[in-house]
Amino acid sequence: GHLLPSGEKGEAAASGGLSVPSPQGGEGQGEGGDTLRTRALAAIDNTRFVPAGGKNRLRGMIENRPDWVLSRQRAWGVPICVFADKAGNVLVDDAVNARILEAFEAEGADAWFADGARERFLGDRAHEEWDMVTDILDVWFDSGSTHTFTLEDRPDLKWPADVYLEGSDQHRGWFHSSLLEGCATRGRAPYNTVITHGFTMDEHGRKMSKSLGNTVVPQDVMKKSGADILRLWVMTTDYWDDQRLGDQIIKTNVDSYRKLRNTLRWMLGTLAHDQGEEIALADMPELERLMLHRLSELDALVRKGYDDFDFKRITRALNDFANIELSAFYFDVRKDALYCDAPSSLRRRAALHVIRKLFDCLVTWLAPMLPFTMDEAWLSRNPEAVSVHLEQFPDVPAEWKDDVLAARWEKIRAVRTVVTGALEIERREKRIGSSLEAAPIVYVDDETLLAALDGRDFEEICITSAITIEAGKGPEDAFRLREVADVAVVPALATGTKCARSWRVTEDVGSDPDYPDVSARDAAALRELAALAG
């Protein structure tokens, strides 16, 4: 049979030895019939390549290869353990093969080259004219045949492999020889998908070498920062090309990891008060429905990203979601309701429901990429569980998707951006210490933006004690952002007394004589908590 390319990395086959006919058929002319080359090219067409350019690279090598041989004339290597006669016919004898196998298992491959090996293995057939082949196998034969000794010999695995993963140089190596051996002996490639990656350089794009002193040892990174930091770097790289790694890049990933871990820790702390209550979607406030809509969008992105082996897209999307949309927006807005609303508050109960969904999705989505961290988080939340790695991705109901709601909140958040920008200047100039000391006036000169804000508790969304919305351009000296040209903000201080519990400045602090230091909302919450405790 036709088994292997002519030699390692394109080297021409040595003359003589046990060669095989041209895969082109006959004297190497023509391309018709069932040849190894036609099988291999068909197998390439039926294989998925990531990135897609790997297909053309491997196809070009197969199309242009010369004859394949499986023998090499070397003084060392794995022997081709066969006997052949003068005409080239190979001896097929189960007893001979059993003796060879027994010797190899006990003594290793060198048993073939030991004195008296011919007589030992041939036994009663030693008087016949069988020559002992002394060539060795092509060096790629070993790696190319690994699929038979792993996938086919283990009951927990299957042939062919779902994925072969290696560096881009293996198109002429492991991928190549595995393809040829699989096609020759099994009629197809031993893999369904081939994924290739580039090489790891230092952070300046130079090849790592001991002489330059720029090597990064994975064990050192894991010892200092943990294995998940190294994994996070891998997941954030464009592995289709060469990657860069160095101290500063590791530090960036440590910072990113810390933010993500802190987000999970905050959710765990908040969910310690969760009773597991399910809230109907129709009963939820818009902000909670917006977060569920975002989960529906991310669910599609995450599943497609894993199917496409596009891990960078997943990590970027989930990191941005955790840092920008959760920590800096949703959690920030909802902390007041979570910390200060009464236990019976629908707003608080809905927030707990949504945070539970956020946690379940984020932790299971990230588990394949950050296995230690996500398992720790999952078991902290679900101590009766075995592992997050035995969980499936949560099912995300189709009804969570709400593009109309998302479009409206895109406008609301655009206006909020101008308000927070104005308040940031007030904080920097020491005119306020917290956004809750402010009661800005917001001028909106756009009907669609005004309609989006109508009926919403915009002071809650902007985390101020009060806010006023006015139609119009606003004064010339008002704060503006070029990106949201039709919105202007005039900062102002909130009037009233600061609530000792929520820190909001309101006019109704002290309205409940039993709780003179807090607002009416907080007094009602404290009374409800006292009743539950009593």
Side-chain angles (χ1 to χ4, degrees):
H2 321 126
L3 283 180
L4 277 179
S6 60
E8 184 178 358
K9 302 202 173 187
E11 179 183 339
S15 61
L18 185 67
S19 63
V20 296
S22 165
Q24 296 171 310
E27 294 301 318
Q29 304 299 317
E31 197 59 45
D34 180 22
T35 67
L36 180 54
R37 192 189 305 276
T38 57
R39 284 191 193 182
L41 292 174
I44 289 172
D45 288 339
N46 291 324
T47 299
R48 180 184 180 190
F49 287 85
V50 181
K55 177 179 181 179
N56 293 334
R57 187 175 185 192
L58 184 54
R59 169 174 275 278
M61 292 178 180
I62 295 297
E63 285 177 333
N64 298 311
R65 288 306 298 255
D67 294 354
W68 282 283
V69 300
L70 56 80
S71 65
R72 299 290 293 272
Q73 287 70 56
R74 292 280 181 86
W76 58 269
V78 177
I80 298 176
C81 306
V82 296
F83 293 89
D85 62 18
K86 301 300 182 185
N89 298 307
V90 173
L91 172 64
V92 179
D93 186 309
D94 289 342
V96 172
N97 290 338
R99 286 192 287 271
I100 295 171
L101 178 62
E102 182 182 6
F104 274 43
E105 288 178 339
E107 305 162 31
D110 284 348
W112 186 256
F113 302 111
D115 292 339
R118 180 183 181 281
E119 289 72 21
R120 174 186 182 185
F121 296 139
L122 286 176
D124 294 341
R125 307 189 68 156
H127 66 282
E128 299 177 14
E129 294 187 0
W130 293 108
D131 293 327
M132 195 173 193
V133 174
T134 56
D135 291 348
I136 66 163
L137 284 169
D138 183 275
V139 293
W140 285 109
F141 187 91
D142 294 24
S143 63
S145 62
T146 51
H147 60 93
T148 65
F149 306 111
T150 53
L151 305 180
E152 293 181 336
D153 283 358
R154 287 178 49 175
D156 57 323
L157 298 177
K158 68 179 183 66
W159 194 100
D162 289 323
V163 171
Y164 266 41
L165 167 66
E166 246 290 1
S168 54
D169 58 330
Q170 295 304 312
H171 289 110
R172 66 170 66 252
W174 184 44
F175 301 147
H176 196 131
S177 58
S178 298
L179 171 70
L180 295 174
E181 291 189 40
C183 288
T185 62
R186 308 292 192 276
R188 59 151 296 164
Y191 40 66
N192 292 325
T193 300
V194 169
I195 304 176
T196 51
H197 57 79
F199 297 93
T200 303
M201 309 296 185
D202 73 6
E203 51 195 339
H204 303 293
R206 300 174 302 178
K207 183 179 179 180
M208 292 188 187
S209 69
K210 292 182 179 178
S211 61
L212 291 175
N214 62 344
T215 57
V216 178
V217 181
Q219 289 85 345
D220 293 344
V221 177
M222 290 188 287
K223 186 181 298 183
K224 181 178 179 181
S225 303
D228 276 1
I229 296 296
L230 196 62
R231 290 191 178 94
L232 183 60
W233 165 74
V234 172
M235 294 300 111
T236 55
T237 61
D238 182 4
Y239 69 87
W240 295 1
D241 203 350
D242 292 343
Q243 313 96 42
R244 297 188 180 191
L245 181 60
D247 291 342
Q248 191 57 44
I249 293 173
I250 289 295
K251 183 178 182 300
T252 300
N253 280 276
V254 168
D255 293 341
S256 179
Y257 172 86
R258 184 177 292 114
K259 290 177 183 178
L260 181 61
R261 184 178 175 87
N262 285 342
T263 298
L264 296 175
R265 288 181 63 190
W266 185 87
M267 283 195 281
L268 283 169
T270 300
L271 290 172
H273 306 281
D274 177 37
Q275 301 299 315
E277 182 182 4
E278 296 287 323
I279 306 296
L281 185 68
D283 295 335
M284 289 186 187
E286 278 194 1
L287 187 54
E288 275 59 46
R289 287 191 280 132
L290 176 66
M291 290 299 107
L292 294 181
H293 166 79
R294 287 293 293 125
L295 283 181
S296 74
E297 291 184 321
L298 288 168
D299 180 65
L301 182 149
V302 167
R303 291 176 187 271
K304 187 176 188 309
Y306 276 119
D307 286 343
D308 293 343
F309 304 98
D310 191 354
F311 309 116
K312 183 175 71 169
R313 187 181 182 206
I314 300 172
T315 50
R316 183 189 295 124
L318 295 185
N319 263 322
D320 287 349
F321 180 64
N323 294 332
I324 299 170
E325 297 186 63
L326 295 184
S327 294
F329 174 57
Y330 177 61
F331 294 164
D332 215 21
V333 170
R334 275 295 179 250
K335 282 176 182 176
D336 177 72
L338 289 164
Y339 298 166
C340 300
D341 274 8
S344 61
S345 160
L346 174 63
R347 182 172 60 177
R348 181 178 182 276
R349 288 156 46 220
L352 286 171
H353 169 98
V354 168
I355 292 170
R356 186 191 326 134
K357 302 300 183 186
L358 289 166
F359 179 88
D360 290 349
C361 286
L362 280 176
V363 173
T364 53
W365 287 342
L366 287 165
M369 297 188 286
L370 299 174
F372 292 151
T373 303
M374 297 309 134
D375 204 39
E376 178 188 8
W378 188 261
L379 295 177
S380 295
R381 168 82 179 138
N382 306 285
E384 76 288 349
V386 177
S387 171
V388 70
H389 304 298
L390 298 178
E391 305 292 331
Q392 298 294 320
F393 289 168
D395 291 327
V396 173
E399 63 177 352
W400 285 6
K401 189 170 178 59
D402 191 336
D403 292 326
V404 174
L405 176 72
R408 180 162 62 244
W409 272 83
E410 188 174 349
K411 296 180 176 66
I412 294 170
R413 292 188 66 181
V415 179
R416 181 182 187 266
T417 301
V418 187
V419 176
T420 54
L423 297 182
E424 185 58 38
I425 293 176
E426 297 302 294
R427 268 196 294 265
R428 189 176 67 217
E429 298 298 325
K430 309 296 184 184
R431 290 191 283 267
I432 61 172
S434 161
S435 63
L436 289 173
E437 297 175 17
I441 303 168
V442 182
Y443 294 89
V444 181
D445 194 30
D446 182 296
E447 290 298 328
T448 61
L449 293 179
L450 281 170
L453 295 173
D454 186 40
R456 274 82 195 171
D457 294 327
F458 200 48
E459 64 268 17
E460 177 188 46
I461 296 167
C462 294
I463 317 178
T464 59
S465 288
I467 207 162
T468 303
I469 307 292
E470 298 281 357
K473 293 184 178 298
E476 289 295 322
D477 61 348
F479 177 83
R480 291 175 170 83
L481 288 177
R482 188 187 317 170
E483 298 83 3
V484 195
D486 295 318
V487 177
V489 177
V490 175
L493 291 174
T495 59
T497 305
K498 182 178 179 180
C499 173
R501 187 166 181 265
S502 68
W503 294 6
R504 287 181 175 271
V505 179
T506 68
E507 300 287 353
D508 63 355
V509 170
S511 58
D512 189 320
D514 292 335
Y515 300 96
D517 297 330
V518 301
S519 67
R521 184 277 303 257
D522 289 87
L526 288 169
R527 183 169 282 106
E528 185 175 318
L529 287 167
L532 290 172

